Amino acid sequence: MKTSSFTKRSLITFVSVFALVSVLMLLSSYRVAGRKNATSEADTLKGLKDFYKGYFPIGVAVAPNSFEGAQAELIKKHFNSLTAENVMKPGPIHPEEKRYFWDDADKIVNFAQANGMKVRGHTLCWHSQTGAWMFKDAAGNQVSKEVALARLKDHITQVVSRYKGKVYGWDVLNEAIADDRDSTKIFRESPWYKICGEEYFAKVFQWAHEADPNAVLFYNDYNTENPVKRDKIYNVLKKLLKEGVPIHGVGLQGHWNVDNPSEQNLRASIDKFSSLGLKIQITELDVSIYSSRTDTVNIGFTPSREQKQIDFYKMIFKVFREKKDLITGVTFWNVSDRRSWLDRGNKKVYPLLFDENLKPKKAYWEVVKF
Ligand code: XIL
């Protein structure tokens, strides 16, 4: 009798505790779900730039005709910095010795100003997309070093002066260091190097600085995470800084892919360049689903490539956030997978955070989840 009433009581206690715990769990799961829903609703209203407000500006490379329809809305919602994908390069903006063409670049600067966005200028001196006239005289012969430098000075002075106070920083010198393949060669054998030798490196930064003393001046390059190329760039910049050349930052282009660079090499490059007192920007970010640019098989945006891309984007943005004191900007190279400069024919590369319908990809949601 005693035992049975004890068993009854403990059964009642057990059932009551079980019921109480269940109710509490149910309630708390409602609360969590409610909170989650509320956050994700708010999250869809936010843009990439809003998530990264306390970190760094988020930029995008655009063309003068990028500001139409839904794409204009996407640009305004997610980005607070613009870069001209092509139209500020020497060739397009300075097609002939006595003629500058400002209209296209002005359209981008005007859109940025109208929408409270920054503009980072790209690029003042490069071996590519530069008028052949720069290096030739009237008879078609190669010009002297004096003539080449005088033209380069005029170019930099005109372009930087025009956008003084509107373009906050410039990729002054682009891709001027030789690739890692040849470890003995430091400088790229560009027409500038062949005609002027290495002294044009210091001059381009000095001229840009004279034209706009407030502009932040960058050396910009790709494969900056490759240890051989990283060291070459580091050594050249170190020497220039020692000579007092006004260089303020290094642009890591960030044309990466789902396998490269490693987290270790990415961290090492940011740390090494920063150790010179230079600011870091990721200037041309895209993450190809192909490991190699020469990969010709069209594999498509398969679930496994998608997952690799998600993991890679997650990794790099975690590193960027951790190093936010060293990083002053992250710029994507193109807006969405609708068009990337890396697409070739029907081989699409899907390197960005927005899909062909301009919708945020899964990788986007991982990049803003922190
Ligand atoms: C690319 C543009 O995206 C293309 O439209 C153009 O045809 C070639 O140049 N490194 C740079 C950028 O510094 O200027 C390049 O932009 C991509 C590689």
Side-chain angles (χ1 to χ4, degrees):
M1 195 62 190
K2 246 186 183 168
T3 337
S4 117
S5 90
F6 176 76
T7 316
K8 220 181 193 171
R9 238 185 295 137
S10 38
L11 194 69
I12 291 170
T13 318
F14 176 76
V15 170
S16 329
V17 169
F18 182 78
L20 189 71
V21 169
S22 307
V23 168
L24 282 175
M25 274 172 63
L26 203 67
L27 274 177
S28 86
S29 83
Y30 270 131
R31 279 227 322 269
V32 170
R35 203 174 335 126
K36 251 196 193 147
N37 283 341
T39 316
S40 67
E41 236 177 76
D43 283 356
T44 58
L45 298 174
K46 279 164 84 172
L48 194 49
K49 64 172 172 29
D50 306 312
F51 289 98
Y52 281 89
K53 200 167 176 217
Y55 292 82
F56 30 73
I58 304 282
V60 64
V62 292
N65 65 2
S66 296
F67 314 119
E68 281 159 19
Q71 187 172 263
E73 294 315 308
L74 183 143
I75 292 170
K76 284 192 272 185
K77 174 172 176 178
H78 292 282
F79 302 98
N80 50 7
S81 175
L82 296 182
T83 298
E85 182 181 1
N86 287 299
V87 300
M88 284 191 186
K89 288 170 179 172
I93 212 165
H94 193 176
E96 292 169 53
E97 182 163 18
K98 298 268 180 289
R99 185 165 70 88
Y100 284 86
F101 176 70
W102 306 113
D103 292 10
D104 283 346
D106 284 355
K107 279 185 193 145
I108 293 173
V109 173
N110 292 343
F111 184 87
Q113 294 221 306
N115 292 288
M117 299 164 149
K118 292 159 146 302
V119 182
R120 76 182 303 286
H122 175 83
T123 173
L124 298 171
C125 181
W126 195 20
H127 63 274
S128 183
Q129 290 181 275
T130 299
W133 65 263
M134 280 255 192
F135 311 109
K136 301 243 159 74
D137 65 16
N141 299 317
Q142 185 173 293
V143 292
S144 66
K145 178 173 164 179
E146 288 65 37
V147 171
L149 288 175
R151 286 179 177 172
L152 189 52
K153 180 177 184 182
D154 173 65
H155 172 78
I156 290 175
T157 308
Q158 296 290 327
V159 176
V160 175
S161 303
R162 179 170 183 95
Y163 296 112
K164 190 175 174 176
K166 295 181 177 171
V167 168
Y168 78 93
W170 282 98
D171 289 330
V172 176
L173 186 54
N174 199 31
E175 304 179 351
I177 308 252
D179 281 327
D180 58 291
R181 287 188 294 273
D182 186 351
S183 58
T184 55
K185 203 200 287 170
I186 304 294
F187 300 104
R188 178 189 288 273
E189 304 249 347
S190 72
W192 293 118
Y193 182 73
K194 284 189 195 144
I195 300 173
C196 309
E198 70 176 273
E199 71 178 82
Y200 82 98
F201 269 64
K203 290 199 150 69
V204 290
F205 286 98
Q206 276 149 1
W207 294 326
H209 186 62
E210 282 162 22
D212 183 357
N214 293 322
V216 191
L217 306 182
F218 291 86
Y219 175 75
N220 192 50
D221 214 330
Y222 61 88
N223 279 357
T224 43
E225 299 68 43
N226 173 294
V228 175
K229 194 159 173 189
R230 175 203 296 147
D231 282 355
K232 288 191 207 181
I233 297 172
Y234 173 85
N235 290 331
V236 170
L237 296 181
K238 189 174 177 182
K239 180 165 170 273
L240 291 169
L241 288 167
K242 219 166 157 191
E243 291 163 7
V245 177
I247 305 174
H248 311 117
V250 187
L252 317 185
Q253 288 188 359
H255 293 300
W256 295 328
N257 68 58
V258 291
D259 292 316
N260 256 306
S262 67
E263 179 169 351
Q264 192 196 0
N265 274 333
L266 172 60
R267 286 177 182 276
S269 286
I270 295 172
D271 292 344
K272 184 145 193 173
F273 297 131
S274 299
S275 75
L276 291 170
L278 296 169
K279 287 298 180 199
I280 307 295
Q281 292 204 357
I282 315 304
T283 53
E284 305 182 16
L285 181 57
D286 46 23
V287 179
S288 169
I289 59 161
Y290 295 85
S291 309
S292 153
R293 245 181 239 185
T294 49
D295 208 344
T296 48
V297 188
N298 196 1
I299 50 170
F301 196 52
T302 62
S304 82
R305 295 286 166 142
E306 179 181 32
Q307 191 54 52
K308 285 186 89 170
Q309 190 183 52
I310 292 170
D311 295 342
F312 188 90
Y313 262 119
K314 235 169 121 168
M315 179 276 281
I316 58 174
F317 271 87
K318 185 169 145 273
V319 172
F320 300 162
R321 287 193 302 272
E322 269 176 45
K323 298 192 180 289
K324 73 176 168 82
D325 295 340
L326 311 176
I327 296 177
T328 57
V330 174
T331 290
F332 287 83
W333 208 248
N334 296 134
V335 180
S336 78
D337 289 348
R338 201 173 265 188
R339 189 191 83 79
S340 157
W341 74 292
L342 296 168
D343 294 338
R344 293 283 177 276
N346 70 345
K347 183 188 151 197
K348 284 189 69 70
V349 167
Y350 306 99
L352 299 157
L353 291 182
F354 299 93
D355 69 16
E356 289 164 275
N357 298 314
L358 307 180
K359 295 276 172 291
K361 290 158 68 177
K362 284 186 199 154
Y364 171 93
W365 293 111
E366 291 300 327
V367 163
V368 301
K369 197 163 77 184
F370 56 91

